[in-house]
Amino acid sequence: MVTTSAFIVITPDAESGESSITVVDAGWRLLHNRPVLNYLRELGYGTDSVCRLISTHYHPDHVGGMAGLRRATGAPVSAHRLEAPYLAGEPGRKIPNPVKPLWLRPLFWPLMAPMSPPNFPVTTILDDGDCLPLLGGARVLHTPGHTPGSISLHFPNEGVLLVADAIQRYQERLTLPSRWFSSDMEAAKKSVQKLASIDFEILCFSHFEPMRKGARAALRSLAEFVS
Ligand SMILES: [Zn+2]
Ligand SMILES: [Zn+2]
């Protein structure tokens, strides 16, 4: 899907013959609930097919639409332990301004106000190494740096590694996440090294086309470059 950061994971159930849908990330508030639900409908799935929502990290272009999707589908939300209190809006926990340079923050925030994510409860807390019942078993990888509780998802049976915003792609080259929108670049480098140790073929990002060829080699090169 090109308009949002959302991923649709379709897990077939051999016994019932029906598929369960997981939506990973939900795009911007006010913009992306309808495209996600329309896309599901095009694929032949109603809102009741959605059994799980997952947040990769608490940036507004990923969780802005989560409260709306939760309302529309009734599905529970999963998120990393470090970010769940912010998503739920616990006292004293406000999702931080995603912009790092201090000079840019005051310019960005007024624009952001109408798009700031509404709070929602997180039903399932995710930790590094957790296994999710998606496509025969997906592993949660804690990959902090872009945000403190960023996660990546590894689907070993499909050879897919979904890194959300932990890595950027420029044609055949991979780079660290944007300095302007990442909380800790040293942690981001360590996360790249962790991801480079994973066995996969296809690398999926939130804002770039998937890398289907040479992705492992490209990720290893990045890991070496930043070490
Ligand atoms: Zn982000
Ligand atoms: Zn993003």
Side-chain angles (χ1 to χ4, degrees):
M1 207 177 302
V2 288
T3 52
T4 98
S5 55
F7 293 88
I8 312 287
V9 182
I10 303 169
T11 302
D13 185 305
E15 277 177 29
S16 70
E18 295 197 355
S19 297
S20 65
I21 304 293
T22 297
V23 182
V24 181
D25 287 342
W28 287 98
R29 180 184 192 176
L30 307 175
L31 291 183
H32 291 130
N33 281 167
R34 200 167 293 168
V36 169
L37 294 173
N38 286 346
Y39 185 66
L40 279 173
R41 201 171 308 123
E42 276 173 35
L43 295 174
Y45 299 109
T47 50
D48 55 348
S49 305
V50 180
C51 64
R52 181 182 291 103
L53 304 169
I54 298 177
S55 160
T56 64
H57 64 291
Y58 58 26
H59 277 171
D61 56 327
H62 296 253
V63 294
M66 198 64 91
L69 269 193
R70 183 178 167 271
R71 249 193 327 274
T73 63
V77 182
S78 307
H80 190 267
R81 174 179 303 282
L82 291 177
E83 298 192 358
Y86 294 86
L87 298 173
E90 287 182 8
R93 305 292 183 96
K94 206 166 175 286
I95 294 177
N97 187 328
V99 177
K100 192 78 188 291
L102 292 177
W103 63 269
L104 189 58
R105 288 185 166 198
L107 299 176
F108 188 76
W109 210 231
L111 292 175
M112 284 297 310
M115 305 296 272
S116 63
N119 294 121
F120 51 85
V122 175
T123 311
T124 307
I125 299 292
L126 300 178
D127 281 310
D128 188 59
D130 283 353
C131 195
L132 301 174
L134 310 177
L135 299 173
R139 197 150 63 94
V140 174
L141 301 160
H142 182 211
T143 45
H146 182 60
T147 67
S150 284
I151 59 163
S152 300
L153 294 171
H154 181 213
F155 301 88
N157 295 328
E158 309 295 319
V160 170
L161 180 60
L162 192 168
V163 297
D165 285 0
I167 299 172
Q168 301 189 93
R169 176 184 180 179
Y170 293 97
Q171 297 179 337
E172 300 317 307
R173 199 167 62 87
L174 300 176
T175 69
L176 290 169
S178 164
R179 271 176 196 283
W180 287 28
F181 297 99
S182 296
S183 59
D184 183 342
M185 293 308 286
E186 287 308 309
K189 290 176 187 173
K190 291 204 178 82
S191 290
V192 161
Q193 280 155 355
K194 177 176 180 170
L195 289 167
S197 71
I198 304 291
D199 191 14
F200 68 94
E201 281 177 40
I202 301 169
L203 195 56
C204 292
F205 317 84
S206 292
H207 305 293
F208 306 91
E209 289 293 312
M211 187 179 251
R212 296 175 187 278
K213 282 189 187 156
R216 257 205 103 180
L219 184 49
R220 277 202 219 106
S221 300
L222 175 62
E224 270 171 39
F225 179 71
V226 301
S227 65

